[in-house]
Amino acid sequence: MEQGIRLSARHAETEISVGENLSSGLKNLDPRPVLLVDEKVMSLHGQHFDSFPVVPIPSGEQYKTIQTVEQIHRELVRLETDRSSLLVGVGGGVTTDVAGFVASTYMRGVRFGFIASTLLGQVDASIGGKNGVNLDGYKNMVGVIRQPAFVWCDLSLLTTLARREYVAGIAEVIKYGAIRSREFLNFLGDHMEGVRSLDMDVLKAVVTRCVSIKADIVQQDEFESGIRRLLNFGHTLGHAIERDRKILHGEAVAMGMVLAARLSHTLGQLGAESVSILERILADAGLPVEPEMDPDRIYDHIRKDKKKSGAQIHFVLLDDLGSAFVRKIPLTELKKMLHDLC
Ligand code: GLY
């Protein structure tokens, strides 16, 4: 097994590994795990998993519901899973969010780990302990923060990922450079071809760096009262665009980052050249950078989403490439800003 990255949270430690063919390590786990596997991953990579008890998880955001959780709980009862069992969620962000919530609630919580099979899952969704499901179209309305015992970022599983989904995951990779490290952003600028072509050496370096940045942020602010908010760079507008345009999360986040960078420039925080550099790296990755959107519709989505948290939003801006900060912006002001940006 590869040398791990350790995330030390308040109640638990997570050992994170990045490498090829990690799934073959399942046979060494004690106790023998019960696997909760995305059904698409099962059909593509079943040879790694079919000698274990497997509960399939349907693929797709529409199945990230409390009904799916209930079905899995029933299946775990049928398999006589108990408090001493080990559950391992295998799949992308939807699967690990559901599996982590199932494990956190079944018999008041059993030990669990993840094998992350998508780029977005490896660099973001599987790390940090937020697990849960959507409710009536609102994302992650029901959930917990509970850290997995381990996360394996198995780079070999990325080779069968749909191209568009893989490229969308690169948006979250670029986000880490934008908010935390100019040097990493430069590395991405120089090695984007290697990332796009799944060069395993480049990917290992890139995923390891992203995981290290996220682990560092989460262990400073597990319950998101401060620095963890920086991880939402590009997401406030991105979520609204995602709902409006029905595009992939990473594609919407790419547009959201471009808008947040342009807004940072308008507010006198970020130079025009820095905005161009970020846009170029996103474009080189194959991500959309021209947000075609109706500012009133986007505002409406944000306003609806924010009805739970008052009249201001925490907006993540850049004051340099590799350096982010949070500014509270009243919703009324945001409306005007959106019109200026579009
Ligand atoms: N599960 C993703 C996070 O905790 O940020």
Side-chain angles (χ1 to χ4, degrees), residues 87 89 151 154 219 229 235 254 256 275 292 312 326:
L87 298 183
V151 178
D154 188 341
Q219 58 194 7
R229 291 202 176 109
H235 283 63
V275 179
E292 288 152 22
Q312 305 203 90
V326 176

Side-chain angles (χ1 to χ4, degrees), residues 97 124-131 214 218 228 231:
D97 276 13
D124 187 24
S126 67
I127 317 284
K130 289 184 187 172
N131 307 297
K214 179 145 189 190
V218 171
R228 190 166 178 169
L231 295 170

Side-chain angles (χ1 to χ4, degrees), residues 22-37 42 45-56 78-79 86-88 90 115 150 152:
L22 300 185
S23 304
S24 60
L26 280 170
K27 58 183 179 306
N28 304 324
L29 291 176
D30 184 28
R32 185 167 178 255
V34 174
L35 310 184
L36 313 181
V37 188
M42 194 63 200
H45 300 279
Q47 76 279 11
H48 296 304
F49 311 118
D50 55 13
S51 58
F52 297 89
V54 170
V55 181
R78 197 185 66 75
L79 290 169
L86 171 64
L87 298 183
V88 179
V90 185
I115 299 178
F150 61 84
W152 296 348

Side-chain angles (χ1 to χ4, degrees), residues 164 240-249 251 301:
R164 186 172 168 196
I241 297 170
E242 185 179 350
R243 254 197 309 281
D244 197 56
R245 300 266 306 271
K246 307 251 178 303
I247 55 179
L248 296 181
H249 176 73
E251 295 168 344
H301 283 298

Side-chain angles (χ1 to χ4, degrees), residues 119-120 123-124 166-193 195-196 206-207 209-211 213 230-231 233-235 250-251 253-258 261 274-289 318 320-324:
L119 183 58
L120 191 133
V123 301
D124 187 24
Y166 177 75
V167 169
I170 304 175
E172 297 285 356
V173 169
I174 295 170
K175 177 191 79 178
Y176 289 110
I179 62 168
R180 231 32 199 160
S181 169
R182 173 74 191 246
E183 161 263 319
F184 181 49
L185 208 53
N186 290 344
F187 179 89
L188 291 173
D190 294 343
H191 293 84
M192 193 52 80
E193 197 35 52
V195 176
R196 281 180 52 81
V206 163
V207 174
R209 187 80 166 103
C210 295
V211 165
I213 293 175
L230 300 183
L231 295 170
F233 178 59
H235 283 63
E251 295 168 344
V253 166
M255 295 182 193
M257 288 194 286
V258 169
S274 298
V275 179
S276 305
I277 291 172
L278 183 61
E279 288 184 12
R280 187 181 48 73
I281 294 174
L282 289 164
D284 284 353
L287 287 158
V289 288
L318 300 180
D320 200 352
L321 290 177
S323 173

Side-chain angles (χ1 to χ4, degrees), residues 2 5 17-20 116-120 122-123 153-161 163 166-167 169-170 173-174 184 187-188 191-212:
E2 310 282 322
I5 298 156
S17 306
V18 180
E20 293 176 68
S117 68
T118 63
L119 183 58
L120 191 133
Q122 295 183 358
V123 301
C153 301
D154 188 341
L155 303 176
S156 311
L157 301 179
L158 299 178
T159 55
T160 51
L161 198 58
R163 185 73 191 154
Y166 177 75
V167 169
I170 304 175
V173 169
I174 295 170
F184 181 49
F187 179 89
L188 291 173
H191 293 84
M192 193 52 80
E193 197 35 52
V195 176
R196 281 180 52 81
S197 62
L198 281 92
D199 176 314
M200 285 292 153
D201 291 333
V202 173
L203 259 186
K204 186 168 182 193
V206 163
V207 174
T208 301
R209 187 80 166 103
C210 295
V211 165
S212 305

